[in-house]
Amino acid sequence: VDDLIKKGAIRVPSFAIKTILSMVRSSVKKRTGADVYKIDAQSKAPQCKMAALFVTADRDEMVPHSHGETLSAKWGGPSLQVTFRGGHNSPRPPHIYDAAGTFLREAMSDDTTADPLLEKCFKKVQGLCCEDPSGSLPPGWLSATDPDTGDVYYYDLFTHKTTWFRPYKASVGYVEKTTPAPTEAFAAKARASREEAPADTSP
């Protein structure tokens, strides 16, 4: 806490922070018996055997990116660390929520106990979190630069909606434009079924 105050990450007088932390410490200890001042996550990490996903921000001023990196390296079970651009209180990009949901659905299921399945899950999460600024954008998106801030933003060519987050999948407008209407899809399926059906040879 003292380091964070010195760096300016916490713009509150140190005596106020220490008073609040003392109250939190007392409350947690009373409820759980644990002393938050003595918790050392890094020393206990090797004892943890279940799969874990560590999400870190590259400019986190409260919890350094290196902290998540160290925990992931020391974790006793399968682990993966993914990083997004932002700070401690930055909005999480949509792909981070997709990655977390994918991990919880697949890595936490009863069936995902074998290494190949976990590896497949981790690769899928890494794919969702792979942000390549130099790469091409998904279909339906274009980028532009805000003249006031100089920041890059992205807009859907079809709906004209904008976002500050780099898209990682086709835009909603593109999907709507390129997806056949339900009636057309059903009609096409019905035609294909008729073509595949054997000819009626009965007299």
Side-chain angles (χ1 to χ4, degrees):
V1 174
D2 291 335
D3 289 341
L4 291 173
I5 294 173
K6 289 176 183 177
K7 291 177 183 177
I10 301 179
R11 301 182 182 278
V12 178
S14 59
F15 74 87
I17 292 293
K18 289 179 179 179
T19 300
I20 294 171
L21 286 178
S22 178
M23 293 170 62
V24 171
R25 180 188 187 189
S26 298
S27 177
V28 171
K29 194 169 185 178
K30 183 178 180 181
R31 294 166 184 265
T32 67
D35 188 341
V36 294
Y37 283 10
K38 295 180 179 179
I39 293 176
D40 183 2
Q42 293 185 15
S43 68
K44 302 296 183 183
Q47 300 175 25
C48 301
K49 304 302 179 185
M50 67 186 301
L53 175 65
F54 295 92
V55 179
T56 56
D58 62 354
R59 298 189 300 275
D60 196 318
E61 61 279 10
M62 299 288 288
V63 183
H65 169 268
S66 59
H67 183 68
E69 198 171 44
T70 301
L71 281 176
S72 183
K74 292 185 175 182
W75 199 255
S79 70
L80 176 68
Q81 180 190 11
V82 295
T83 303
F84 66 91
R85 287 175 285 180
H88 188 77
N89 295 314
S90 298
R92 276 37 179 171
H95 71 265
I96 289 296
Y97 292 104
D98 265 5
T102 298
F103 172 77
L104 290 173
R105 283 193 306 272
E106 300 191 15
M108 297 288 102
S109 69
D110 293 335
D111 297 332
T112 312
T113 54
D115 289 341
L117 292 177
L118 276 174
E119 186 178 344
K120 184 179 178 182
C121 171
F122 283 162
K123 282 184 178 179
K124 189 180 291 187
V125 170
Q126 286 175 317
L128 290 169
C129 297
C130 180
E131 291 186 274
D132 182 7
S134 62
S136 59
L137 290 168
W141 291 102
L142 281 181
S143 63
T145 302
D146 185 290
D148 296 327
T149 65
D151 294 328
V152 176
Y153 67 93
Y154 307 90
Y155 61 94
D156 186 328
L157 281 169
F158 299 90
T159 65
H160 305 295
K161 291 184 177 180
T162 61
T163 177
W164 292 108
F165 298 119
R166 182 180 176 83
Y168 66 103
K169 57 185 177 182
S171 73
V172 172
Y174 176 84
V175 172
E176 290 175 349
K177 282 284 185 181
T178 57
T179 302
T183 52
E184 294 176 7
F186 288 134
K189 190 174 181 181
R191 286 195 297 271
S193 298
R194 285 199 299 270
E195 291 172 1
E196 294 174 3
D200 188 358
T201 57
S202 59

